[in-house]
Coordinates of all heavy atoms in Angstrom, one line a residue:
M98 N -3.7 8.5 -18.1 CA -4.5 8.8 -16.9 C -4.5 7.6 -15.9 O -4.4 7.8 -14.8 CB -6.0 9.0 -17.4 CG -6.9 9.3 -16.3 SD -6.6 10.9 -15.6 CE -8.1 11.3 -15.0
Q99 N -4.5 6.4 -16.5 CA -4.5 5.2 -15.7 C -3.2 5.1 -14.9 O -3.2 4.7 -13.7 CB -4.7 3.9 -16.5 CG -4.7 2.6 -15.8 CD -6.1 2.4 -15.1 OE1 -7.0 3.1 -15.3 NE2 -6.2 1.3 -14.4
Q100 N -2.1 5.4 -15.5 CA -0.8 5.4 -14.9 C -0.7 6.4 -13.7 O -0.2 6.1 -12.7 CB 0.3 5.6 -15.9 CG 1.7 5.5 -15.3 CD 2.8 5.7 -16.4 OE1 2.5 6.2 -17.4 NE2 4.0 5.3 -16.0
N101 N -1.3 7.6 -13.9 CA -1.3 8.6 -12.9 C -2.1 8.1 -11.7 O -1.8 8.3 -10.5 CB -1.8 9.9 -13.4 CG -0.8 10.6 -14.2 OD1 0.4 10.4 -14.1 ND2 -1.2 11.5 -15.0
Q102 N -3.3 7.5 -12.0 CA -4.1 7.0 -10.9 C -3.4 5.9 -10.1 O -3.5 5.8 -8.9 CB -5.4 6.4 -11.5 CG -6.4 7.5 -11.9 CD -7.7 6.9 -12.5 OE1 -7.7 5.8 -12.8 NE2 -8.7 7.8 -12.6
R103 N -2.6 5.0 -10.8 CA -1.9 4.0 -10.1 C -0.8 4.6 -9.2 O -0.6 4.1 -8.1 CB -1.3 3.0 -11.2 CG -0.5 1.9 -10.5 CD 0.0 0.9 -11.6 NE 0.9 -0.1 -11.0 CZ 0.5 -1.2 -10.4 NH1 -0.7 -1.5 -10.3 NH2 1.4 -2.0 -9.9
R104 N -0.1 5.6 -9.7 CA 0.9 6.3 -8.9 C 0.3 7.0 -7.7 O 0.9 7.0 -6.6 CB 1.6 7.3 -9.7 CG 3.0 6.8 -10.2 CD 3.7 7.9 -10.8 NE 3.1 8.1 -12.1 CZ 3.5 8.8 -13.1 NH1 4.6 9.5 -12.9 NH2 2.9 8.9 -14.2
L105 N -0.9 7.5 -7.8 CA -1.5 8.2 -6.7 C -2.3 7.3 -5.8 O -2.8 7.7 -4.7 CB -2.5 9.3 -7.2 CG -1.8 10.5 -7.9 CD1 -2.8 11.4 -8.5 CD2 -0.9 11.2 -6.9
F106 N -2.5 6.0 -6.1 CA -3.2 5.0 -5.3 C -2.7 5.0 -3.9 O -1.5 4.9 -3.7 CB -3.1 3.6 -5.9 CG -4.0 2.6 -5.2 CD1 -5.3 2.6 -5.5 CD2 -3.4 1.7 -4.3 CE1 -6.1 1.6 -4.8 CE2 -4.2 0.8 -3.7 CZ -5.6 0.7 -3.9
G107 N -3.6 5.3 -2.9 CA -3.2 5.3 -1.5 C -3.0 6.7 -0.9 O -3.0 6.8 0.3
F108 N -2.9 7.7 -1.8 CA -2.9 9.0 -1.3 C -4.2 9.7 -1.4 O -5.0 9.3 -2.3 CB -1.9 9.9 -2.2 CG -0.5 9.6 -1.9 CD1 0.4 9.3 -3.0 CD2 0.1 9.7 -0.7 CE1 1.7 9.0 -2.8 CE2 1.4 9.5 -0.4 CZ 2.2 9.1 -1.5
N109 N -4.5 10.7 -0.6 CA -5.7 11.4 -0.7 C -5.5 12.5 -1.7 O -4.8 13.5 -1.5 CB -6.1 12.1 0.7 CG -7.4 12.8 0.6 OD1 -7.9 13.1 -0.4 ND2 -7.9 13.2 1.8
A110 N -6.0 12.2 -2.9 CA -5.7 13.1 -4.1 C -6.2 14.5 -3.9 O -5.7 15.5 -4.4 CB -6.2 12.5 -5.4
S111 N -7.3 14.7 -3.1 CA -7.8 16.1 -2.9 C -6.8 16.9 -2.1 O -6.8 18.1 -2.3 CB -9.2 16.0 -2.2 OG -9.0 15.5 -0.9
I112 N -6.0 16.3 -1.3 CA -5.0 17.1 -0.6 C -3.8 17.4 -1.5 O -3.3 18.5 -1.5 CB -4.5 16.3 0.7 CG1 -5.6 16.2 1.7 CG2 -3.2 16.9 1.3 CD1 -5.2 15.3 2.9
L113 N -3.5 16.5 -2.4 CA -2.3 16.7 -3.3 C -2.7 17.7 -4.3 O -1.8 18.5 -4.8 CB -2.0 15.4 -4.0 CG -1.4 14.3 -3.0 CD1 -1.2 13.0 -3.8 CD2 -0.1 14.7 -2.4
N114 N -3.9 17.8 -4.8 CA -4.4 18.7 -5.8 C -5.8 19.2 -5.4 O -6.8 18.7 -5.9 CB -4.4 18.1 -7.2 CG -4.7 19.1 -8.3 OD1 -4.9 20.2 -8.0 ND2 -4.8 18.6 -9.5
P115 N -5.9 20.3 -4.6 CA -7.2 20.8 -4.2 C -8.0 21.3 -5.3 O -9.2 21.5 -5.1 CB -6.8 21.8 -3.2 CG -5.4 22.3 -3.5 CD -4.8 21.1 -4.1
F116 N -7.5 21.6 -6.5 CA -8.2 22.1 -7.6 C -8.8 21.1 -8.5 O -9.5 21.4 -9.5 CB -7.3 23.1 -8.4 CG -6.7 24.2 -7.6 CD1 -5.4 24.1 -7.2 CD2 -7.5 25.2 -7.1 CE1 -4.9 25.1 -6.4 CE2 -7.0 26.2 -6.3 CZ -5.7 26.2 -6.0
D117 N -8.6 19.8 -8.2 CA -9.0 18.7 -9.0 C -10.4 18.2 -8.5 O -10.5 17.7 -7.4 CB -8.0 17.5 -8.9 CG -8.5 16.4 -9.8 OD1 -9.1 16.6 -10.8 OD2 -8.2 15.2 -9.4
G118 N -11.4 18.4 -9.2 CA -12.8 18.0 -9.0 C -13.0 17.4 -7.6 O -12.9 18.0 -6.6
D119 N -13.4 16.1 -7.6 CA -13.7 15.4 -6.3 C -12.5 14.8 -5.7 O -12.5 14.3 -4.6 CB -14.8 14.4 -6.4 CG -14.5 13.3 -7.4 OD1 -13.4 13.2 -7.9 OD2 -15.4 12.4 -7.6
G120 N -11.3 14.7 -6.5 CA -10.1 14.1 -5.9 C -10.1 12.6 -5.7 O -9.2 12.1 -5.0
R121 N -11.0 11.9 -6.3 CA -11.1 10.5 -6.1 C -10.7 9.8 -7.4 O -11.1 10.1 -8.4 CB -12.5 10.1 -5.6 CG -12.9 10.8 -4.3 CD -14.2 10.4 -3.9 NE -14.3 9.0 -3.7 CZ -15.3 8.4 -3.1 NH1 -16.3 9.1 -2.8 NH2 -15.3 7.1 -2.9
S122 N -10.0 8.7 -7.2 CA -9.7 7.8 -8.4 C -10.4 6.5 -8.1 O -9.8 5.5 -7.7 CB -8.2 7.6 -8.5 OG -7.7 7.0 -7.3
E123 N -11.7 6.5 -8.4 CA -12.5 5.3 -8.2 C -12.2 4.2 -9.1 O -12.6 3.1 -8.9 CB -14.0 5.7 -8.3 CG -14.5 6.6 -7.2 CD -14.5 6.0 -5.9 OE1 -14.7 4.7 -5.8 OE2 -14.2 6.6 -4.9
D124 N -11.6 4.5 -10.2 CA -11.3 3.4 -11.2 C -10.5 2.3 -10.7 O -10.7 1.1 -11.0 CB -10.7 4.0 -12.5 CG -11.6 5.0 -13.2 OD1 -12.8 4.9 -13.0 OD2 -11.1 5.8 -13.9
I125 N -9.5 2.6 -9.9 CA -8.5 1.6 -9.4 C -9.0 1.2 -8.0 O -9.0 2.0 -7.1 CB -7.1 2.1 -9.4 CG1 -6.6 2.4 -10.8 CG2 -6.2 1.1 -8.7 CD1 -5.2 3.0 -10.9
Q126 N -9.3 0.0 -7.8 CA -9.7 -0.6 -6.5 C -8.5 -1.3 -5.8 O -8.6 -1.5 -4.6 CB -10.9 -1.5 -6.6 CG -12.1 -0.7 -7.1 CD -12.5 0.4 -6.1 OE1 -12.6 0.2 -4.9 NE2 -12.7 1.6 -6.6
S127 N -7.5 -1.8 -6.6 CA -6.4 -2.5 -6.0 C -5.2 -2.4 -7.0 O -5.4 -2.1 -8.2 CB -6.8 -3.9 -5.7 OG -7.0 -4.6 -6.9
I128 N -4.0 -2.7 -6.4 CA -2.8 -2.8 -7.2 C -2.1 -4.1 -6.8 O -2.2 -4.5 -5.7 CB -1.9 -1.6 -7.1 CG1 -1.4 -1.4 -5.6 CG2 -2.5 -0.3 -7.6 CD1 -0.3 -0.4 -5.5
S129 N -1.5 -4.7 -7.8 CA -0.7 -5.9 -7.5 C 0.8 -5.6 -8.0 O 1.0 -5.0 -9.0 CB -1.2 -7.1 -8.2 OG -2.5 -7.4 -7.8
A130 N 1.7 -6.1 -7.2 CA 3.1 -5.9 -7.5 C 3.9 -6.9 -6.7 O 3.3 -7.8 -6.1 CB 3.6 -4.5 -7.1
T131 N 5.2 -6.8 -6.7 CA 6.1 -7.7 -6.0 C 6.9 -6.8 -5.0 O 7.2 -5.7 -5.3 CB 7.1 -8.3 -7.0 OG1 6.4 -9.1 -8.0 CG2 8.0 -9.3 -6.2
T132 N 7.1 -7.4 -3.8 CA 7.8 -6.6 -2.8 C 9.3 -6.5 -3.2 O 9.9 -7.4 -3.7 CB 7.8 -7.4 -1.4 OG1 8.3 -8.7 -1.5 CG2 6.4 -7.5 -0.9
A133 N 9.8 -5.3 -3.1 CA 11.2 -5.0 -3.4 C 12.0 -5.0 -2.2 O 13.1 -5.5 -2.2 CB 11.3 -3.6 -4.1
S134 N 11.4 -4.5 -1.1 CA 12.1 -4.6 0.2 C 11.1 -4.5 1.3 O 10.0 -3.9 1.2 CB 13.1 -3.4 0.4 OG 12.5 -2.2 0.5
I135 N 11.5 -5.1 2.5 CA 10.6 -5.1 3.7 C 11.6 -4.7 4.8 O 12.5 -5.4 5.0 CB 9.9 -6.4 3.9 CG1 9.1 -6.8 2.7 CG2 9.1 -6.3 5.2 CD1 8.5 -8.2 2.8
R136 N 11.3 -3.6 5.5 CA 12.1 -3.1 6.6 C 11.3 -3.2 7.9 O 10.2 -2.7 7.9 CB 12.6 -1.7 6.4 CG 13.6 -1.6 5.3 CD 14.1 -0.2 5.1 NE 13.0 0.7 4.8 CZ 12.9 2.0 5.3 NH1 13.9 2.5 6.0 NH2 11.9 2.7 5.0
N137 N 11.9 -3.8 8.9 CA 11.3 -3.7 10.2 C 11.8 -2.5 10.9 O 12.9 -2.3 11.2 CB 11.7 -5.0 11.0 CG 11.0 -5.1 12.3 OD1 10.5 -4.1 12.9 ND2 11.0 -6.3 12.9
I138 N 10.8 -1.6 11.3 CA 11.2 -0.3 11.9 C 10.9 -0.3 13.4 O 11.0 0.7 14.1 CB 10.6 0.9 11.2 CG1 9.1 0.8 11.2 CG2 11.1 1.0 9.8 CD1 8.4 2.0 10.7
G139 N 10.6 -1.5 14.0 CA 10.4 -1.6 15.4 C 8.9 -1.5 15.8 O 8.1 -1.1 15.0
R140 N 8.6 -1.9 17.0 CA 7.2 -1.9 17.5 C 6.2 -2.6 16.6 O 5.1 -2.2 16.6 CB 6.8 -0.4 17.8 CG 7.6 0.3 18.8 CD 7.1 1.7 18.9 NE 7.1 2.2 17.5 CZ 7.1 3.5 17.1 NH1 7.1 4.4 18.0 NH2 7.0 3.8 15.9
G141 N 6.7 -3.6 15.9 CA 5.8 -4.3 15.1 C 5.5 -3.7 13.7 O 4.6 -4.1 13.0
E142 N 6.1 -2.5 13.5 CA 5.8 -1.8 12.2 C 6.8 -2.2 11.1 O 7.9 -2.4 11.4 CB 5.8 -0.3 12.4 CG 4.7 0.2 13.3 CD 4.6 1.7 13.4 OE1 5.4 2.4 12.6 OE2 3.8 2.2 14.2
L143 N 6.3 -2.3 9.9 CA 7.1 -2.6 8.8 C 6.9 -1.5 7.7 O 5.8 -0.9 7.6 CB 6.6 -3.9 8.2 CG 6.7 -5.2 9.0 CD1 6.0 -6.3 8.3 CD2 8.1 -5.5 9.4
I144 N 7.9 -1.3 6.9 CA 7.8 -0.5 5.7 C 8.0 -1.4 4.6 O 9.1 -2.1 4.5 CB 8.9 0.7 5.6 CG1 8.7 1.6 6.8 CG2 8.8 1.4 4.3 CD1 7.5 2.5 6.8
I145 N 7.0 -1.6 3.7 CA 7.1 -2.5 2.6 C 7.1 -1.6 1.3 O 6.2 -0.9 1.0 CB 5.8 -3.4 2.6 CG1 5.8 -4.2 3.9 CG2 5.9 -4.3 1.4 CD1 4.5 -4.9 4.2
T146 N 8.2 -1.8 0.6 CA 8.4 -1.1 -0.7 C 8.1 -2.1 -1.8 O 8.6 -3.2 -1.8 CB 9.8 -0.5 -0.8 OG1 10.0 0.3 0.3 CG2 9.9 0.3 -2.1
L147 N 7.2 -1.7 -2.7 CA 6.9 -2.5 -3.9 C 7.8 -2.2 -5.1 O 8.4 -1.2 -5.1 CB 5.4 -2.4 -4.2 CG 4.4 -2.7 -3.1 CD1 3.0 -2.4 -3.6 CD2 4.6 -4.1 -2.6
D148 N 7.8 -3.1 -6.0 CA 8.7 -2.9 -7.2 C 8.3 -1.8 -8.1 O 9.1 -1.3 -8.9 CB 8.8 -4.2 -8.0 CG 7.5 -4.7 -8.6 OD1 6.5 -4.1 -8.3 OD2 7.5 -5.7 -9.3
D149 N 7.1 -1.2 -7.9 CA 6.7 0.0 -8.6 C 7.1 1.3 -7.9 O 6.8 2.4 -8.3 CB 5.2 0.0 -8.9 CG 4.3 0.1 -7.6 OD1 4.9 0.2 -6.5 OD2 3.1 0.0 -7.7
G150 N 7.8 1.1 -6.8 CA 8.4 2.3 -6.1 C 7.5 2.8 -4.9 O 7.9 3.7 -4.2
T151 N 6.3 2.3 -4.8 CA 5.4 2.8 -3.7 C 5.8 2.1 -2.4 O 6.3 1.0 -2.3 CB 3.9 2.4 -4.0 OG1 3.8 1.0 -4.1 CG2 3.5 3.1 -5.2
A152 N 5.7 2.9 -1.3 CA 6.1 2.4 0.0 C 4.8 2.5 0.9 O 4.1 3.4 0.9 CB 7.2 3.3 0.6
W153 N 4.7 1.4 1.7 CA 3.5 1.3 2.6 C 3.9 0.9 4.0 O 4.8 0.1 4.1 CB 2.6 0.2 2.0 CG 2.1 0.5 0.6 CD1 2.7 0.2 -0.6 CD2 0.8 1.1 0.3 NE1 1.9 0.6 -1.6 CE2 0.8 1.2 -1.1 CE3 -0.3 1.5 1.0 CZ2 -0.3 1.7 -1.8 CZ3 -1.3 2.0 0.4 CH2 -1.4 2.1 -1.0
R154 N 3.3 1.5 5.0 CA 3.6 1.2 6.4 C 2.5 0.3 6.9 O 1.3 0.7 6.9 CB 3.7 2.5 7.2 CG 4.0 2.3 8.7 CD 3.9 3.6 9.4 NE 4.9 4.5 9.0 CZ 6.0 4.8 9.7 NH1 6.3 4.2 10.8 NH2 6.9 5.6 9.2
K155 N 2.9 -0.8 7.6 CA 1.9 -1.6 8.2 C 1.5 -0.9 9.5 O 2.3 -0.6 10.3 CB 2.5 -3.0 8.6 CG 1.5 -4.0 9.2 CD 2.2 -5.3 9.6 CE 2.8 -5.3 10.9 NZ 2.0 -5.0 12.1
I156 N 0.2 -0.7 9.7 CA -0.3 0.1 10.8 C -1.2 -0.6 11.8 O -1.7 0.0 12.7 CB -1.0 1.4 10.4 CG1 -2.2 1.1 9.5 CG2 0.0 2.3 9.7 CD1 -3.0 2.3 9.1
D157 N -1.4 -1.9 11.6 CA -2.2 -2.6 12.6 C -1.4 -3.6 13.4 O -0.2 -3.7 13.3 CB -3.4 -3.4 11.9 CG -3.0 -4.5 11.0 OD1 -1.8 -4.9 11.0 OD2 -3.8 -5.0 10.3
A158 N -2.0 -4.3 14.3 CA -1.3 -5.2 15.3 C -1.1 -6.6 14.8 O -0.5 -7.4 15.5 CB -2.1 -5.2 16.6
S159 N -1.4 -6.9 13.5 CA -1.2 -8.2 13.0 C 0.3 -8.5 12.9 O 1.1 -7.6 12.9 CB -1.9 -8.4 11.6 OG -1.2 -7.6 10.7
T160 N 0.6 -9.8 12.9 CA 2.0 -10.2 12.8 C 2.2 -11.2 11.7 O 2.2 -12.4 11.8 CB 2.4 -10.9 14.1 OG1 1.5 -12.0 14.4 CG2 2.4 -10.0 15.3
P161 N 2.3 -10.6 10.5 CA 2.6 -11.5 9.3 C 3.9 -12.1 9.4 O 4.9 -11.6 10.0 CB 2.5 -10.5 8.1 CG 2.8 -9.2 8.7 CD 2.3 -9.2 10.1
T162 N 4.1 -13.3 8.9 CA 5.3 -14.1 8.9 C 5.9 -14.2 7.5 O 5.3 -14.9 6.7 CB 5.1 -15.4 9.6 OG1 4.1 -16.1 8.9 CG2 4.7 -15.3 11.0
F163 N 7.0 -13.5 7.3 CA 7.7 -13.7 6.0 C 9.1 -13.2 6.2 O 9.4 -12.4 7.1 CB 7.0 -13.0 4.8 CG 6.5 -11.6 5.1 CD1 7.3 -10.5 5.2 CD2 5.1 -11.4 5.3 CE1 6.8 -9.3 5.5 CE2 4.6 -10.1 5.6 CZ 5.5 -9.1 5.7
S164 N 10.0 -13.7 5.3 CA 11.4 -13.3 5.4 C 11.5 -11.9 4.8 O 10.9 -11.5 3.9 CB 12.2 -14.2 4.5 OG 13.5 -13.7 4.3
L165 N 12.3 -11.1 5.5 CA 12.6 -9.7 5.1 C 13.4 -9.7 3.8 O 13.5 -8.6 3.2 CB 13.2 -8.9 6.2 CG 12.4 -8.8 7.5 CD1 13.2 -7.9 8.5 CD2 11.1 -8.2 7.3
R166 N 14.1 -10.8 3.4 CA 15.0 -10.8 2.3 C 14.4 -11.3 1.0 O 15.0 -11.1 0.0 CB 16.2 -11.6 2.7 CG 17.0 -11.0 3.8 CD 18.3 -11.8 4.0 NE 19.2 -11.1 4.9 CZ 19.1 -11.1 6.2 NH1 18.1 -11.8 6.8 NH2 19.9 -10.5 7.0
R167 N 13.3 -12.0 1.1 CA 12.7 -12.6 -0.1 C 11.7 -11.6 -0.8 O 11.2 -10.6 -0.2 CB 11.9 -13.8 0.2 CG 12.8 -15.0 0.5 CD 12.0 -16.3 0.6 NE 11.2 -16.5 -0.6 CZ 10.1 -17.3 -0.6 NH1 9.7 -17.9 0.4 NH2 9.4 -17.4 -1.7
Q168 N 11.4 -11.8 -2.0 CA 10.4 -11.1 -2.8 C 9.1 -11.9 -2.8 O 9.2 -13.1 -3.0 CB 10.9 -10.7 -4.2 CG 12.0 -9.8 -4.2 CD 12.4 -9.4 -5.6 OE1 12.2 -10.2 -6.5 NE2 13.0 -8.3 -5.8
Y169 N 8.0 -11.2 -2.6 CA 6.7 -11.9 -2.5 C 5.7 -11.1 -3.4 O 5.8 -9.9 -3.5 CB 6.1 -11.9 -1.1 CG 7.0 -12.6 -0.1 CD1 7.9 -12.0 0.7 CD2 6.8 -14.0 0.0 CE1 8.6 -12.7 1.7 CE2 7.6 -14.7 1.0 CZ 8.5 -14.0 1.8 OH 9.2 -14.7 2.7
P170 N 4.7 -11.8 -3.9 CA 3.6 -11.1 -4.6 C 2.8 -10.4 -3.5 O 2.6 -10.9 -2.4 CB 2.8 -12.2 -5.2 CG 3.1 -13.5 -4.5 CD 4.5 -13.3 -4.0
A171 N 2.4 -9.2 -3.8 CA 1.6 -8.4 -2.9 C 0.4 -7.7 -3.6 O 0.6 -7.3 -4.8 CB 2.5 -7.3 -2.2
T172 N -0.7 -7.5 -2.9 CA -1.8 -6.8 -3.4 C -2.3 -5.8 -2.4 O -2.4 -6.2 -1.2 CB -3.0 -7.8 -3.8 OG1 -2.5 -8.7 -4.7 CG2 -4.2 -7.1 -4.3
V173 N -2.5 -4.6 -2.8 CA -3.1 -3.6 -1.9 C -4.4 -3.2 -2.5 O -4.6 -2.9 -3.6 CB -2.2 -2.3 -1.9 CG1 -2.8 -1.3 -0.9 CG2 -0.8 -2.6 -1.5
R174 N -5.5 -3.3 -1.6 CA -6.8 -2.9 -2.0 C -7.4 -1.9 -1.1 O -7.0 -1.7 0.0 CB -7.7 -4.2 -2.1 CG -7.9 -4.8 -0.7 CD -8.9 -6.0 -0.7 NE -9.0 -6.7 0.5 CZ -9.7 -6.3 1.6 NH1 -10.4 -5.2 1.5 NH2 -9.7 -6.9 2.7
R175 N -8.4 -1.2 -1.7 CA -9.2 -0.2 -0.9 C -10.0 -1.0 0.1 O -10.5 -2.1 -0.1 CB -10.1 0.6 -1.8 CG -9.4 1.5 -2.7 CD -10.4 2.3 -3.5 NE -9.8 3.1 -4.5 CZ -9.3 4.3 -4.3 NH1 -9.4 4.9 -3.1 NH2 -8.7 5.0 -5.3
A176 N -10.1 -0.4 1.3 CA -11.0 -1.0 2.4 C -12.0 0.0 2.8 O -12.1 1.1 2.2 CB -10.1 -1.5 3.5
A177 N -12.6 -0.2 3.9 CA -13.7 0.7 4.4 C -13.1 2.0 4.9 O -12.0 2.0 5.4 CB -14.4 0.0 5.6
L178 N -13.9 3.1 4.8 CA -13.5 4.4 5.4 C -12.2 4.9 4.9 O -11.5 5.5 5.7 CB -13.6 4.3 6.9 CG -15.0 3.9 7.5 CD1 -14.9 3.7 9.0 CD2 -16.1 4.8 7.1
G179 N -11.8 4.7 3.7 CA -10.6 5.3 3.1 C -9.3 4.6 3.5 O -8.2 5.1 3.3
S180 N -9.4 3.4 4.1 CA -8.2 2.7 4.5 C -7.8 1.7 3.4 O -8.5 1.5 2.5 CB -8.5 1.9 5.9 OG -9.5 0.9 5.7
Y181 N -6.7 1.1 3.6 CA -6.1 0.1 2.6 C -5.7 -1.2 3.3 O -5.1 -1.1 4.5 CB -5.0 0.8 1.9 CG -5.4 1.9 1.1 CD1 -5.5 3.2 1.6 CD2 -5.8 1.7 -0.3 CE1 -5.9 4.3 0.8 CE2 -6.2 2.8 -1.0 CZ -6.3 4.1 -0.5 OH -6.7 5.1 -1.2
M182 N -5.8 -2.3 2.7 CA -5.4 -3.6 3.2 C -4.4 -4.1 2.2 O -4.5 -4.0 1.0 CB -6.6 -4.5 3.3 CG -7.7 -4.1 4.2 SD -7.1 -4.0 6.0 CE -7.1 -5.7 6.4
M183 N -3.3 -4.8 2.7 CA -2.3 -5.4 1.9 C -2.2 -6.9 2.2 O -2.3 -7.3 3.4 CB -0.9 -4.8 2.2 CG 0.2 -5.4 1.4 SD 1.8 -4.7 1.7 CE 1.8 -3.3 0.7
K184 N -2.1 -7.7 1.2 CA -1.9 -9.1 1.3 C -0.6 -9.4 0.7 O -0.4 -9.1 -0.5 CB -3.1 -9.9 0.7 CG -2.9 -11.4 0.8 CD -4.2 -12.1 0.4 CE -4.1 -13.6 0.4 NZ -3.5 -14.1 1.6
V185 N 0.3 -10.0 1.5 CA 1.6 -10.4 1.0 C 1.7 -11.9 1.1 O 1.5 -12.5 2.2 CB 2.7 -9.8 1.9 CG1 4.1 -10.2 1.4 CG2 2.6 -8.2 1.8
A186 N 2.0 -12.6 0.0 CA 2.1 -14.0 -0.1 C 0.8 -14.7 0.5 O -0.3 -14.3 0.1 CB 3.4 -14.5 0.6
D187 N 1.0 -15.6 1.4 CA -0.2 -16.4 1.9 C -0.6 -15.8 3.3 O -1.4 -16.5 3.9 CB 0.2 -17.9 2.1 CG 0.4 -18.5 0.7 OD1 -0.3 -18.1 -0.3 OD2 1.2 -19.4 0.6
N188 N -0.1 -14.7 3.7 CA -0.5 -14.1 5.0 C -1.8 -13.5 4.9 O -2.3 -13.1 3.8 CB 0.5 -13.0 5.4 CG 1.9 -13.6 5.8 OD1 2.0 -14.1 6.9 ND2 2.9 -13.4 4.9
P189 N -2.6 -13.4 6.0 CA -3.8 -12.7 6.0 C -3.6 -11.2 5.8 O -2.5 -10.7 6.1 CB -4.4 -12.9 7.5 CG -3.5 -14.0 8.1 CD -2.2 -14.1 7.3
P190 N -4.6 -10.6 5.2 CA -4.4 -9.1 4.9 C -4.2 -8.3 6.2 O -4.7 -8.7 7.2 CB -5.7 -8.7 4.2 CG -6.3 -10.0 3.8 CD -5.8 -11.1 4.7
F191 N -3.4 -7.2 6.0 CA -3.2 -6.3 7.2 C -3.3 -4.9 6.7 O -3.2 -4.6 5.5 CB -1.8 -6.6 7.8 CG -0.7 -6.6 6.9 CD1 0.0 -5.5 6.5 CD2 -0.3 -7.8 6.4 CE1 1.1 -5.5 5.6 CE2 0.8 -7.9 5.5 CZ 1.5 -6.8 5.1
R192 N -3.7 -4.0 7.6 CA -3.9 -2.6 7.3 C -2.6 -1.8 7.1 O -1.7 -2.0 7.8 CB -4.7 -2.0 8.4 CG -5.4 -0.7 8.0 CD -6.5 -0.3 9.0 NE -7.5 -1.4 9.2 CZ -8.5 -1.7 8.4 NH1 -8.7 -1.0 7.3 NH2 -9.4 -2.6 8.7
V193 N -2.6 -1.0 6.0 CA -1.4 -0.2 5.6 C -1.8 1.2 5.3 O -3.0 1.5 5.1 CB -0.7 -0.9 4.4 CG1 -0.1 -2.2 4.8 CG2 -1.6 -1.0 3.2
R194 N -0.8 2.0 5.3 CA -0.9 3.5 4.9 C 0.2 3.8 4.0 O 1.3 3.4 4.2 CB -0.8 4.3 6.2 CG -0.9 5.8 5.9 CD -0.8 6.7 7.1 NE 0.5 6.5 7.7 CZ 0.8 6.4 9.0 NH1 -0.2 6.3 9.8 NH2 2.0 6.2 9.4
R195 N -0.1 4.5 3.0 CA 0.9 4.9 1.9 C 1.9 5.9 2.6 O 1.5 6.8 3.3 CB 0.2 5.6 0.8 CG 1.1 6.1 -0.4 CD 1.5 5.0 -1.3 NE 2.4 5.5 -2.2 CZ 2.1 5.8 -3.5 NH1 0.9 5.8 -3.9 NH2 3.1 6.3 -4.3
E196 N 3.1 5.7 2.3 CA 4.2 6.6 2.8 C 4.7 7.5 1.7 O 4.7 7.2 0.6 CB 5.4 5.7 3.3 CG 5.1 5.0 4.6 CD 5.0 5.9 5.8 OE1 6.0 6.6 6.1 OE2 3.9 5.9 6.4

């Protein structure tokens, strides 16, 4: 059960499975992993793939500074109103959406 919740972290589970109770996985508030790849897709947007296979798109106007080629520790946590914040290395957290 915990592994499934980790895999679904960042998705709206009620959309993925409308027959599942309330569709919320309240148990997991954050995940930690290592960046596997970071791609700059233009207009200040990044796609960050973690070593667990999850992909996250940076969706705010912040400008984190890190090399696209290195691996960094990363943490994604739940934020207000169903949003998510990611912290990569020593950069301030920035808003992300699960891809």
Side-chain angles (χ1 to χ4, degrees):
M98 182 70 156
Q99 182 80 5
Q100 185 178 14
N101 285 337
Q102 287 180 342
R103 183 174 169 85
R104 258 186 288 189
L105 290 175
F106 185 79
F108 286 126
N109 182 347
S111 63
I112 291 172
L113 296 174
N114 185 2
F116 303 107
D117 180 32
D119 63 1
R121 299 177 64 170
S122 58
E123 291 295 326
D124 297 336
I125 298 179
Q126 295 299 312
S127 67
I128 59 169
S129 295
T131 302
T132 58
S134 71
I135 302 172
R136 291 182 300 145
N137 185 343
I138 58 172
R140 299 174 309 200
E142 292 187 8
L143 301 171
I144 300 290
I145 301 166
T146 304
L147 302 179
D148 62 356
D149 63 3
T151 60
W153 300 83
R154 179 187 297 255
K155 183 182 88 61
I156 57 172
D157 67 9
S159 67
T160 54
T162 55
F163 43 76
S164 169
L165 300 180
R166 291 184 174 85
R167 285 191 53 204
Q168 292 183 335
Y169 297 97
T172 301
V173 181
R174 66 174 171 81
R175 290 182 189 273
L178 302 173
S180 63
Y181 295 87
M182 299 294 286
M183 177 181 278
K184 180 166 176 46
V185 176
D187 294 328
N188 288 287
F191 49 89
R192 199 161 306 281
V193 292
R194 179 181 65 225
R195 178 80 185 264
E196 290 289 301

